Amino acid sequence: MRAPRLARFGVPLVLAGLVVVSGILIPGFMSRSNLTTILLHVSINGIITLGAVYVIITAGIDLSVGSIVGFAGVLTAATLTSGAVLHLLGPVGAAVLAGVVGVAAGAAVGLLNGGVVAWLGVAPFIVTLATMTAARGAARLVTGGIPVGYPDPSDPMQAQKIAALNALHTVGGGRLPMPGLPTGFPVPALVMLAIVALGGFVLVRTRFGRHVYAVGGNEEASRLSGVAVGRVKLATYVISGACAGVAAVLLVGQLRSGGPDAGMLYELNAIAAAVIGGTSLFGGIGTAWGALTGALLIGVLNNGLDLLGVPSFWQEIAKGVIILLAVLFDVWMKKADARRRAQAGRAAAGG
Amino acid sequence: MPEAAAVGSGPLLALEAVTKRFPGVTALDAVDLSVAPGRVHALVGENGAGKSTLLKIVAGAQRPDAGKLLLAGREVRFAAPRDALKAGVTVMYQELSLVPQLSAEANIFLGMEPERRGVLDRRTARARAQDALRALGAEFDPGILASDLSVAEQQLVELARALVRDARLIALDEPTAALSQVEAGRLFEQVRGLCGRGIAVIFVSHRLEEVRRIAEDVTVLRDGRRVFSSRIAAVSDAELIRHMVGRDVEYARLNAAAAPAAVPRLEVRGLTRRGHFTDVSLALRRGEIVGLAGLVGAGRTEVARCVAGADRSDGGTMLLSGAPYRPRSPREAIRRGVVYLPEDRKTQGLVLGMSVRENVTLATLERYSRRGVIRRRTEREAAARETAAVDLRPPEIEREAGTLSGGNQQKVVLAKWLLADADVLIFDEPTRGVDVATKVDLHRQVRALADAGKAILVISSELPEILALADRIVVMREGRVAGALEAAGATAERVLELALPGAHAA
Ligand SMILES: Nc1ncnc2c1ncn2[C@@H]1O[C@H](COP(=O)(O)OP(=O)(O)OP(=O)(O)O)[C@@H](O)[C@H]1O
Ligand SMILES: [Mg+2]
């Protein structure tokens, strides 16, 4: 009932189809190392998408996540390579603190978004458009427009800074040894799977999750039932911001630097993945599982086109077309259900 | 057209063995129906009997799985409501389907706007809309936004919509559920006028006295089957109910088991909300049911919403067991033991896309969770228990609330608040759209709550309901308390006397 019955299988079917076709057509696609590479490439978007799904279920939208990736990323990199922090905590300690700073920075922007949406009643599109612009500006301001990270050879603390960057790299770019996988399992993918699993549990099994759906399904009925509508909305933006913060930390770890322009257009990728994964922009409908399948679908597409050697401009066009087709297929699957719903909604209550 | 209205000229609309199935239910099972032009045909039956489904099929909003529709003797197949409208068939759903942001006039012509060379012909539209509305006795300007009209006025817009389309058949699904008696009376006059033009009317209602006033023919549906058809004059209410329910139902006054406590549980003194109501005082005692009567628009719902924390008041005080009480949100009110069942189930009562279970436990989820994690088994058990208590049909707690019949949706909202186990319960139109038998049963439950020491306020536009249920009746008129009556001396006439504007308080 979260998603119409048939629709729940629409996107997974497209995804499965895509994987099978790619496996047959593209040599090397089905290799374990390629499949784990896909997971790695999907993880940043997957994590941001999970946050987006929370917001969208409440009938909101968060356009600021891409800028948060840039903003939280430069703060993470700055903390990581700050002389004072390194003095005090050492490279590993600095990496931990930098991670905390990144996630907290994301959550703080989310708090701002959520606060304005929930208590001042401004439309989420406008609020997050404003923070999207402002956070990007702040990231550039902090860094003077250039990436923060890899130290100069002349830097007296060069060795410690590199050690700190390497420490965070074990998370952002690290691989866990795993039997049967010579290259190991990418840590960011593990982080994504853990976050999606946790996010799914919270949505389906907790009171808070139930309230998220209720607020998106009918805000007034929820309020009259004693749901703290404002707090629920606020929390979803904090979650979305924090997810973007996690993505920022992973990205800094992976690249060993934080650039103010990182994360450009990530918000659109996340919204696309959420919608492909069956989240309704009207609110009330969406799942963590959908966030994962949506992000995977985009990831498999990217990877397949890459392996086929399709030139990048053509890739973009092909991607657009295939995403549209996937959603159309989904709509087509939903149609029977949707028609039934529309009628029920229009007149079942009609006594 | 009026000539064709002569009785005996064959049915205007005939259904032959129409069947409609939904997953898990047969909503209509080989139903025959024959509706004559110029007559009102009432359709009655329990909640979920299939009345609305039948109308939706007639309107082309749903397609039958089997059977045929004959319009003036010719078979028709409606693929969409548009086709039905073109054939002269209009259905007015209970939840009105006007576009709130458009004017009355624009709503009347929606989908068939008069054009001249591709440009909207506003002058013609305005003139024809005005004619249609005037023919229906409407007194408002066609340019007014639909959202600024009362429910009764919106219904006139829907009827006008039927008129400008030269409707031959108009079906009304519980049109009076949200109307005051006076407004209902006016609607009936207009319906009679339509019949005079030879239009056939199908009329769905749970109120038999209305059915008797307006209809010539009646058909009873039960569990999707047509069990009875006759001229209304030839059948008694008791017989009709027996056909609907399969047993006898007694609609009796329920008296309190014991005298109510002396101290008020909730006291409202001089409560005011500017533009809505002024200087309202009332008291609810434990063990007592107070009825709040008045015309639609008298301010009853507004008072209830302030007491329940849904709106803020501008002046006056409230006391809960003697302690100051000024809720800033429904959440706070619920914490203090005051709950409010809103009047409009679709916009305020239910999350239609959620399951029955999730709706029923929405207000009390705290009780069914541990450290924020929902305990699914206890939740399921509570939902099953409470939906059984209100006789939900079908009794499936995983069903999406939006797919239930109107009356059964109302039962879900009721179950939610019965589960809340509050001390003060405010019911705003608690049995709107609920069938006769269930209504009697729900009244018994409300009385049992009072006997268990709860303080209860019931708002209802149905006077018989107030008279049957309340120990005391407070009547509001134009935002003020017009007077109060003890149940013993209360009659419909005395309540109306107080409720009608222009009349003088006793
Ligand atoms: N879209 C739908 N999906 C599934 N079941 C449905 C749908 N619409 C109606 N039903 C079921 O069909 C049956 C008949 O419903 P219908 O709305 O016609 O009843 P009704 O006679 O109008 O009842 P009420 O007096 O409560 O309005 C009910 O059991 C209802 O749950
Ligand atoms: Mg109905």
Side-chain angles (χ1 to χ4, degrees), chain B residues 346-376:
Chain B
K346 199 176 156 195
T347 60
Q348 301 164 8
L350 287 173
V351 185
L352 290 173
M354 280 186 149
S355 68
V356 168
R357 165 178 55 83
E358 291 168 311
N359 271 291
V360 169
T361 58
L362 186 59
T364 41
L365 212 47
E366 227 158 301
R367 243 187 273 156
Y368 310 109
S369 43
R370 198 181 310 156
R371 273 184 253 107
V373 178
I374 297 167
R375 292 147 72 195
R376 288 190 284 190

Side-chain angles (χ1 to χ4, degrees), chain B residues 74-122:
Chain B
R74 231 169 305 151
E75 180 170 0
V76 286
R77 278 169 203 276
F78 300 141
R82 219 183 142 69
D83 301 341
L85 285 170
K86 275 204 201 115
V89 175
T90 312
V91 173
M92 186 165 112
Y93 298 105
Q94 181 183 344
E95 327 288 326
L96 297 164
S97 42
L98 298 183
V99 182
Q101 298 88 347
L102 291 181
S103 67
E105 168 198 323
N107 270 294
I108 289 172
F109 285 103
L110 195 62
M112 54 161 290
E113 293 79 0
E115 282 179 347
R116 242 193 347 218
R117 279 180 247 112
V119 178
L120 279 184
D121 181 358
R122 301 185 57 173

Side-chain angles (χ1 to χ4, degrees), chain A residues 340 344 348 350-351, chain B residues 22-23 25 27 45-54 56 62 173-174 206 393-394 399 403-408 433:
Chain A
R340 188 175 58 78
Chain B
F22 291 111
V25 260
E46 285 184 289
N47 296 131
K51 307 179 294 293
S52 297
T53 306
L54 192 148
K56 278 179 240 168
Q62 285 181 351
D173 199 351
E174 297 191 43
H206 288 295
R393 290 185 209 179
R399 183 176 270 271
T403 71
L404 292 170
S405 79
N408 281 295

